[in-house]
Amino acid sequence: MAEVINMPRLSDTMEEGTVAKWLFKVGEKIIEGDILAEIETDKATMEFESFYEGTLLYIGVQEGETVPVDVLLAIIGDKDEDILELIKGNNSVLNDDNVTLSAVERSPSNEAVKTTSINIPEGVEVIMMPRLSDTMEEGTVATWNKKVGDIVEEGDILAEIETDKATMEFESFYEGTLLEIGVKEGETALVDTLLAIIGPKGTNISEILENYKSGIKKSEVIVTSETKIAKPVIEKQEKTSVISNQNTTPEGGRIFISPLAKKLADEKGINLHQITGSGENGRIIKRDIENYQPVSSGTPAYIPVGVESFEEVKNSQMRKIIAKRLGESKFMAPHYYLTVELDMDNAIASRKAINSDPDVKVSFNDMIVKACAMALRKHPKVNSHWTDTSTLLAKHIHIGVAVAVEDGLLVPVLKFADQMTFNQIGVTVKEMAGKARDKKLTPEEMEGSTFTVSNLGMMGIKEFTSIINQPNSAILSVGAIVEKPVVKNGQIAVGNTMTLTLACDHRTVDGATGASFLQTLRKYIESPVTMFV
């Protein structure tokens, strides 16, 4: 009997997964325990093991595709088993490589294509609001340069249209009489809304107006053999259309310029030979005249040259979840920040003494994690979680240590950190950081933190703030140790300082509580010997 396998939830926060690699193809034999695929979650890329045996009959998610948890991933069963009903019942998208359906089965049975037949008389052109920029969704007609009844020549500037980026001239690619204006000056309309109609004078356009103004889409129009539909202007803009005047360049060539730009240049007395057009085929347009700056004698004009481009990098599952979780934390939890500067001279001397033992290697980060664990024991309100009905004070202390990886940030958790020695903390952090960078951390190793430490001091960052790692109530940001002049016993001396910033959730940690926690933390770090008492 065929077994349906859905996209599994491989971590506590996983909401969707990406198939990084399939290790079997449709038709191959699967044994229980075989690794079917590698699936990228929000935390790591993990091997997905089959709990069934049989033939791989269907793959529902291709390599590189991302789908929500519980979407049909694969079907395993007996060779040649009929699985059509299983696929239909579990997934609306069928894979042609795995299942062959009849034409009737492939077509929607309950949907009909909505169409409208419009008679567009010969010579009439329907002009829709064009998409004049890559992000434009609607446009505002700033000025109409023609009015209903005027004769329009190909190349005339019909209107100036304000987009989301600029006000641009809109040129006509047709000639005839302006029969209708669909969007008045100052009005805003969506892209593909009826903008104007051009055609022979006296043409009856009532049917066109009735249909296009009712919101009909161009894709829903059927034109009979006796009529024709106007081609959208946005598609015809690929055609070269230039307006020329009688001026010539020193080389004897013509200057191509729009009528409006020519008018503005004449009004401003600008020599067109000194302007480089930014329009199609080097045509001078309105903005070239408006942006023109006279060039001083002997000073060459700067002309920007280059190619604007972007590299599209697909967001990994980890990156998506980081964005989602941090966004939720920042905008749902009321953050506030407390900052202290620590005297690190004693800590430096203590670390040197501890590391004199050849079998021990303790970092400042290890000392800070230990100090946090001990301070949390004395300030349980900082070691808490907020819920809608109550505040949970954790009796255990699990400290998350933020680790930077290629795709973002992972937070392995030191369980019962208050019971660990400096050396145990150092060994564990080093091991888990390595696993994090190799994407080998298990979900269990990243769950359950009650407090988090983020250290950028080793990168030279003196001071920063962090976003709370929910559901924690606080996170500590650790800066670099800096050698600088300090005042000791009323005298200026060279000292070593370090800045700590505690981000707190005001729902659970009041200002006085956070300040008291930092005072205790300061005592432990500035005098590490107190952590042994």
Side-chain angles (χ1 to χ4, degrees), residues 515-532:
S516 296
F517 172 81
L518 281 179
Q519 287 178 342
T520 302
L521 191 62
R522 177 200 290 272
K523 181 188 74 172
Y524 284 138
I525 296 175
E526 288 186 342
S527 302
V529 67
T530 59
M531 286 189 272
F532 294 98

Side-chain angles (χ1 to χ4, degrees), residues 1 51 59 119 140 271 284 293 307 311 328 442 485:
M1 179 178 177
F51 295 95
I59 289 178
N119 290 325
T140 301
N271 184 349
I284 299 173
Q293 296 292 334
V307 177
E311 178 185 358
E328 290 173 350
T442 65

Side-chain angles (χ1 to χ4, degrees), residues 290 331 372 374 433 527:
E290 293 177 335
F331 298 113
C372 287
M374 296 183 66
S527 302

Side-chain angles (χ1 to χ4, degrees), residues 338 340 368-369 372 451-455 464-466 474-479 499-503 517-518 521 525:
L338 302 172
V340 294
I368 292 166
V369 170
C372 287
F451 185 84
T452 306
V453 174
S454 179
N455 190 342
F464 67 103
T465 60
S466 301
I475 183 171
L476 185 71
S477 304
V478 182
T499 299
L500 301 179
T501 300
L502 183 70
F517 172 81
L518 281 179
L521 191 62
I525 296 175

Side-chain angles (χ1 to χ4, degrees), residues 23-24 31 33-38 47-50:
L23 302 181
F24 287 87
I31 303 297
D34 282 347
I35 304 301
L36 271 182
E38 295 178 6
E47 295 178 336
F48 179 55
E49 180 179 327
S50 174

